[in-house]
Each structure stands twice: as structure tokens, then as C-alpha cells.
Amino acid sequence: AFMVPANLPPPPSGGGGDGELDALWVPFDEAAIPRLVGEGKTVFVDVTAEWCITCLVNKTLVLSKGEVFKFLSAGNVVAMQADWTLPDAGISSYLAGFGRYGIPFNAVYGPAAPGGVTLPELLTQGNVLDALGGASGGAVATSY
């Protein structure tokens, strides 16, 4: 297993974008997803961990920027974060339901995709926007 050396400084908080993004996240609650989708909401799930470098790259380069950040901050989108920094059986079982056993893992749920659309491990503005637009049945795309 990859171990992070203990003497590394903590990663920088990265200015406004990351802080604003951090304020959007609600704690992961798998049971709430069907209810939120039933209310017409689009749910973006981010499974992340402090030791996951790719997760940090996705967050810094894609999720906290531009159109993606705008959509995640929209009133009809719920940004839900599952923190897997420490082992968590609920998160492990959620990932296994998609046949995935590692992170990064992102999925988008919405009225047009109640079962969830999974994203590639490396996020781009394009693949996140496509998933948000598709899962919402176009509701997210038309809100801007």
C-alpha cells in the first residue's frame, strides 16, 4: 500500500474555489438519494479521501471551477461527499454495488437516471456536465 510520509506538509487549501466547494458538500447519505431524486433534484456523489491524490486533482481542476462549480451550486443540485479517509463499511458497500473497489468514484443521480450514472476516474468539465445534464433530464443544463 502507498504510504504518505509523515513529514509532508498538509496540502494547501487552494484559495477561494476549493473553500467555496467545501461549503457545498453535504455528508453522504445513500438512503436519501432516492428521496432527493423523487423531489426532482440531481445528486452528485463524490467518494474521496485525504490520501487520494487523483481525488484532489479532480476537485482542484474540475469540481471547484467554471461551469461545473456553477452547476454544483445550483439550487436543484445536491453535492454529496463520502469521506473514505478512514475505512467505512457503508461507503465500501456502496462502491461494491457499482463493481468498484477504489476511488476516485463519482456518480450522478437524477430524474432521468435514478440508478446513478458513474463517471470515469479522471474527471473533465465535459464528462461531469454531460452526466449532470443527462441525469437531470436536461433540467440542470437549462437552468443557466
Side-chain angles (χ1 to χ4, degrees), residues 24-45 74-81 94 107-115 135-136 139-140:
L24 289 182
W25 296 117
V26 299
F28 177 66
D29 179 358
E30 188 175 359
I33 295 172
R35 177 177 55 77
L36 290 164
V37 169
E39 293 167 5
K41 298 242 191 300
T42 301
V43 182
F44 180 86
V45 175
N76 58 345
V77 176
V78 178
M80 207 179 259
Q81 189 169 73
Y94 171 73
V108 182
Y109 299 81
S136 71
V140 169

Side-chain angles (χ1 to χ4, degrees), residues 8-111:
L8 278 183
S13 60
D18 285 359
E20 289 173 50
L21 179 67
D22 288 342
L24 289 182
W25 296 117
V26 299
F28 177 66
D29 179 358
E30 188 175 359
I33 295 172
R35 177 177 55 77
L36 290 164
V37 169
E39 293 167 5
K41 298 242 191 300
T42 301
V43 182
F44 180 86
V45 175
D46 178 46
V47 183
T48 189
E50 287 174 16
W51 43 260
C52 172
I53 302 301
T54 311
C55 301
L56 188 65
V57 169
N58 283 339
K59 178 181 148 185
T60 307
L61 298 184
V62 180
L63 300 179
S64 62
K65 300 254 186 297
E67 291 297 300
V68 169
F69 178 75
K70 263 197 249 177
F71 285 132
L72 292 178
S73 346
N76 58 345
V77 176
V78 178
M80 207 179 259
Q81 189 169 73
D83 186 346
W84 210 31
T85 300
L86 298 173
D88 181 299
I91 295 173
S92 299
S93 129
Y94 171 73
L95 291 170
F98 286 95
R100 297 280 279 276
Y101 301 92
I103 55 175
F105 179 81
N106 296 95
V108 182
Y109 299 81

